[in-house]
């Protein structure tokens, strides 16, 4: 049981916009930054979004992050086949669960 | 461009200690404001943060693993290490090392190494 809650799966067709949610609590998302990782099959995770909505160098602007209260979302616009991957949210946590917690991951399928 | 590479035994017996090393290349482990982390992922499951160390030696650990985990750094070898004691089959996972910019979560990751706990 992950501290941060994500839907196990999401899907979309090429060109579509999809969003993945991440729900937490006041001790993590509610009071700290949210991070998003993309994990392609058989590879290490790659940082997509840091500090809620910032993109590291090299990450396309098709990927965007947002946060409101104790929830966060990752949006992918102009969906491409190569976006098919697992996506994880993460955050600092000020409770006994911390200091770092991950979501359970969302498997994105491009139909 | 910094690169991280995990190394260590791929098979560990139950009740023994898992030991892994992460070698950092392309930059000094002592330079800059970075933390050095370990994260693991059981097959088909999600990511679990294990802990991290600053080059000063300051550490943070996952409370659920804290009693069994030790992370250390060897600046002379540009390496940091993970020791996990009293392992069981539940500790079977791909173990990743990573670099965290100060104040942020992991940015740069190693490729990961599979450790299986089995007799």
């Amino acid at each position: 049981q992950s501290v941060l809650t994500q839907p196990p799966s999401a899907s979309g067709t090429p060109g579509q916009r999809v969003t993945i949610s991440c729900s937490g609590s006041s001790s993590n998302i509610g009071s700290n930054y949210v991070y998003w990782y993309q994990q392609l099959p058989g590879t290490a995770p790659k940082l997509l979004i840091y500090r809620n909505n910032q993109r590291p160098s090299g990450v396309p602007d098709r990927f965007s992050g947002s946060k409101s209260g104790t929830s966060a979302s990752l949006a992918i616009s102009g969906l491409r086949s190569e976006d098919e991957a697992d996506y994880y949210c993460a955050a600092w946590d000020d409770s006994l669960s911390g200091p770092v917690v991950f979501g359970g991951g969302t498997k994105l399928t491009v139909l | 461009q910094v690169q991280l590479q995990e190394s260590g035994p791929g098979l560990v017996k139950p009740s023994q200690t898992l030991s892994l090393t992460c070698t950092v290349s392309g930059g000094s482990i002592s330079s800059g404001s970075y933390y050095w982390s370990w994260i693991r992922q059981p097959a088909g499951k999600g990511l679990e943060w294990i802990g991290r160390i600053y080059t000063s030696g300051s550490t943070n650990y996952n409370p659920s693993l804290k009693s069994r985990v030790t992370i250390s750094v060897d600046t002379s070898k540009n390496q940091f290490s993970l020791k996990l004691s009293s392992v069981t089959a539940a500790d079977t996972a791909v173990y990743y090392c990573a670099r965290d910019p100060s104040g942020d979560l992991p940015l740069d990751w190693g490729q990961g190494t599979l450790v299986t706990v089995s007799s």
Side-chain angles (χ1 to χ4, degrees):
Chain A
Q1 188 79 2
S2 301
V3 175
L4 304 181
T5 302
Q6 298 180 237
S9 64
S11 63
T13 56
Q16 198 174 18
R17 182 178 186 272
V18 297
T19 60
I20 297 171
S21 63
C22 176
S23 177
S25 67
S26 58
S27 66
N28 42 65
I29 293 178
S31 54
N32 293 293
Y33 291 128
V34 178
Y35 298 73
W36 289 93
Y37 293 89
Q38 176 194 60
Q39 188 176 32
L40 299 171
T43 69
K46 170 189 173 183
L47 182 64
L48 274 185
I49 298 289
Y50 67 100
R51 299 194 180 189
N52 300 335
N53 54 20
Q54 302 300 301
R55 284 186 305 277
S57 174
V59 174
D61 59 6
R62 301 187 297 108
F63 296 91
S64 62
S66 62
K67 186 183 98 166
S68 178
T70 59
S71 294
S73 292
L74 172 71
I76 309 172
S77 60
L79 196 63
R80 299 182 177 183
S81 58
E82 56 261 39
D83 298 332
E84 186 161 293
D86 293 323
Y87 292 84
Y88 294 90
C89 59
W92 296 104
D93 192 303
D94 301 325
S95 75
L96 294 178
S97 300
V100 177
V101 291
F102 283 95
T106 298
K107 169 65 178 175
L108 175 64
T109 301
V110 181
L111 301 170
Chain B
Q1 178 76 5
V2 70
Q3 293 187 321
L4 301 97
Q5 179 67 58
E6 305 87 352
S7 61
L11 181 64
V12 181
K13 287 181 167 52
S15 80
Q16 293 191 342
T17 295
L18 177 159
S19 296
L20 294 175
T21 296
C22 183
T23 300
V24 179
S25 59
S28 171
I29 201 170
S30 301
S31 67
S33 299
Y34 294 104
Y35 283 82
W36 304 90
S37 293
W38 288 97
I39 302 101
R40 69 180 182 179
Q41 184 174 36
K45 296 188 178 182
L47 300 166
E48 181 178 32
W49 187 82
I50 299 171
R52 67 175 192 170
I53 189 167
Y54 195 60
T55 47
S56 65
S58 171
T59 54
N60 301 106
Y61 296 131
N62 184 325
S64 68
L65 300 171
K66 188 174 183 177
S67 64
R68 300 193 291 131
V69 173
T70 301
I71 297 176
S72 59
V73 63
D74 187 337
T75 55
S76 67
K77 294 182 179 179
N78 229 34
Q79 296 175 334
F80 62 107
S81 299
L82 168 70
K83 291 188 185 299
L84 181 65
S85 63
S86 305
V87 296
T88 69
D91 295 309
T92 295
V94 173
Y95 284 76
Y96 296 99
C97 62
R99 181 179 77 158
D100 316 359
S102 181
D104 286 308
L105 295 190
L107 169 62
D108 304 298
W109 295 62
Q111 65 184 29
T113 188
L114 174 62
V115 178
T116 302
V117 178
S118 175
S119 56

